[in-house]
Amino acid sequence: MSAELSMEAVPQSGQGKVAKNAIIYLFAQLISWSVSFLAISIIPRRLGETAMGELALAQTLVSTVSGTLMLSIDPYLVAEVGRDQLNAERLLNAALGLRLLLILPLIGFSILLLHLNHASHVTWMLAYFTMGSASINLLAEPMRSVLAGWEEAKRVSALDFTWQSAALWSIPFLRFGPIAMPISNLSMLLITMVMRIKWLFSRISLRPNCNIALWTTVIKGGLPFFMNTFVVQFYTLGSVLILRRYSGDAEVGVFSQALRLQGTFLFIPTAIGMALLPSLTRLTDVDEVEFKKMQTKVLSLMLALSLPVTTMIIMLAVPFCHLLYGKSKFQDMPLALQVSAFNLIPLYVTTIMYRFLVAQRKNGIWSIFLIGTVALNALFCWILIPITMRYFHNGSAGAMAASMIAESVTVVFAFVLLGTNPLSVQAVTQVFRGLVAAVSMGCVIWLTRNMMIIFPATLGMLTFCYLAYHLHVFGEEEQQKLVAMIQQKLGRRKNRGQNK
């Protein structure tokens, strides 16, 4: 929806495709969101905090190594293939040859980290299968990037969903313990990789290339993206290790679930960003003025869209967590989730702003700013985790608060780098109107808080939508386009029905 509202800045020839892809990605994100909630409502209940903490530790240590060794080649491939699809075969084969070489270092460094952190026997077993998945993912991600660069939204979304559904396939085997999850994940990764190979073979040949010059090209291309990947990996690693030191594996399990829920709430900016990037890379080279206009509108839109999600989580965190986990398990989750809700506002903004920085090739400079935020997150984890444990008996809330502070600083850096004025009349007006709608939404939820959770959630969202429409939270021109789009879709369905 929101991508459709901001497409006037995209050249007309690509406008329809970007909007269509945004809707596809958004729909896929919603499905994945539903699957995640279903898995989260069953798996943690069955396994408990400690088992989820051991699984989170294994995944964090291995993903830190694999994420670093990926060298951020994948977003570079999306951008370059989006600019010129003739680059696909040459760059992909170079990436595959390089990634094959990196599998052994991935396994070696993962084992080293497990030793240094005195992993338990269960964590070691979980890590072995996680290493297998990470090794396959090294090869699978460049293939996904080429499909995304070709703007094959349906195929990318279908395979993403297949892989993300792995958690559901593990549910019947949870009686064997948490080992069921990495095994299921490994199986689904193999299936999706086979499908990617089949689709790519229909257009290009896949022959891993060991050409040193091409390896240098893709590594240099990925370097500007690398720090963003580095930040994501070491944000989580630092938080998990500090939290584990103060609280143990059980609190790590709570934190991992809070992070996973936070990630599902980012489905809107994730979908829009995936659809926009290939077109943005073309637009920035063609029309800088239109690019700036689009940037301002999309960022204002992200701020407005983050408000109802934040309000909903803050108001309904307690009944929501009781619904997912029951009242006897994951008792620290509600407070951790409420703190993470405030983090969604900067995350909505930075998730989209990063796409604009990539399109303008400014993500290399952006990386310098991000180094400081990694240190800032670790510093506040050391400070806030003990404080929240002392006063609230909840270390996860402290880790979430540290992340919120670091992300807020990141937003300021991003505004400076993009040269965007966050206090423009348009932005302030949209955010103020969004706040009015969000506060009204919160009041409705509070008044109906004693009802079953579905009722306050539905009534609150309807309140926000009604007020957002009449207050023109998303802009009058954009709303007219939305209404026209809905009428067009309904008209098509009506005509189809009459033709039948």
Side-chain angles (χ1 to χ4, degrees), residues 165-166 185 194 248 250 263 275 296 307 321 405 407 413 435 458 460 466 500:
S165 67
N185 189 52
V194 170
T296 301
L307 294 174
C321 290
I405 294 171
E407 288 294 342
F413 288 158
L435 278 172
T458 303
Y466 176 82
K500 289 181 181 179

Side-chain angles (χ1 to χ4, degrees), residues 57 60-61 64 113 116-117 234-248 252 255 381-382 385:
L57 180 62
T60 300
L61 295 178
T64 298
L113 276 180
L116 291 175
N117 286 279
F234 282 84
Y235 249 65
T236 306
L237 179 65
S239 300
V240 165
L241 295 184
I242 295 171
L243 190 59
R244 185 171 182 251
R245 175 175 178 174
Y246 282 111
S247 306
V252 171
F255 178 67
C381 277
W382 281 110
I385 289 174

Side-chain angles (χ1 to χ4, degrees), residues 48-280:
E49 293 95 326
T50 301
M52 294 304 296
E54 291 172 328
L55 179 61
L57 180 62
Q59 291 175 336
T60 300
L61 295 178
V62 175
S63 66
T64 298
V65 177
S66 65
T68 303
L69 291 178
M70 280 184 169
L71 302 174
S72 299
I73 292 171
D74 307 306
Y76 166 72
L77 291 180
V78 176
E80 290 305 307
V81 174
R83 285 191 177 95
D84 185 355
Q85 295 190 7
L86 296 177
N87 290 325
E89 184 172 330
R90 178 174 60 91
L91 294 178
L92 175 58
N93 286 331
L96 292 176
L98 179 60
R99 291 284 177 81
L100 282 170
L101 185 67
L102 293 174
I103 290 177
L104 284 179
L106 185 157
I107 296 172
F109 283 115
S110 297
I111 291 173
L112 177 62
L113 276 180
L114 287 160
H115 271 296
L116 291 175
N117 286 279
H118 308 289
S120 66
H121 174 72
V122 173
T123 302
W124 272 101
M125 291 301 297
L126 295 169
Y128 289 139
F129 287 98
T130 304
M131 288 179 215
S133 296
S135 300
I136 294 172
N137 204 41
L138 278 177
L139 304 175
E141 278 302 298
M143 300 178 190
R144 179 190 183 279
S145 298
V146 170
L147 291 171
W150 286 342
E151 299 183 78
E152 295 278 359
K154 289 183 179 179
R155 289 181 170 179
V156 172
S157 298
L159 293 183
D160 285 351
F161 172 73
T162 302
W163 176 36
Q164 290 162 0
S165 67
L168 293 182
W169 292 106
S170 70
I171 291 174
F173 306 100
L174 290 178
R175 63 181 180 275
F176 299 109
I179 195 69
M181 294 188 66
I183 292 177
S184 176
N185 189 52
L186 177 60
S187 303
M188 298 310 292
L189 263 175
L190 286 170
I191 293 172
T192 57
M193 186 171 178
V194 170
M195 292 305 299
R196 286 171 185 168
I197 292 173
K198 179 181 177 182
W199 286 336
L200 288 168
F201 258 132
S202 66
R203 294 179 61 173
I204 60 176
S205 64
L206 296 179
R207 296 176 181 174
N209 194 330
C210 296
N211 187 304
I212 302 299
L214 279 177
W215 284 3
T216 303
T217 298
V218 296
I219 291 173
K220 286 183 177 179
L223 285 178
F225 300 88
F226 177 74
M227 191 51 63
N228 190 68
T229 303
F230 174 88
V231 168
V232 171
Q233 299 299 332
F234 282 84
Y235 249 65
T236 306
L237 179 65
S239 300
V240 165
L241 295 184
I242 295 171
L243 190 59
R244 185 171 182 251
R245 175 175 178 174
Y246 282 111
S247 306
D249 289 333
E251 197 68 23
V252 171
V254 174
F255 178 67
S256 69
Q257 291 304 296
L259 279 181
R260 186 172 180 183
L261 284 170
Q262 178 181 268
T264 62
F265 295 130
L266 294 174
F267 65 91
I268 294 176
T270 300
I272 294 173
M274 289 172 67
L276 280 176
L277 182 56
S279 291
L280 287 178

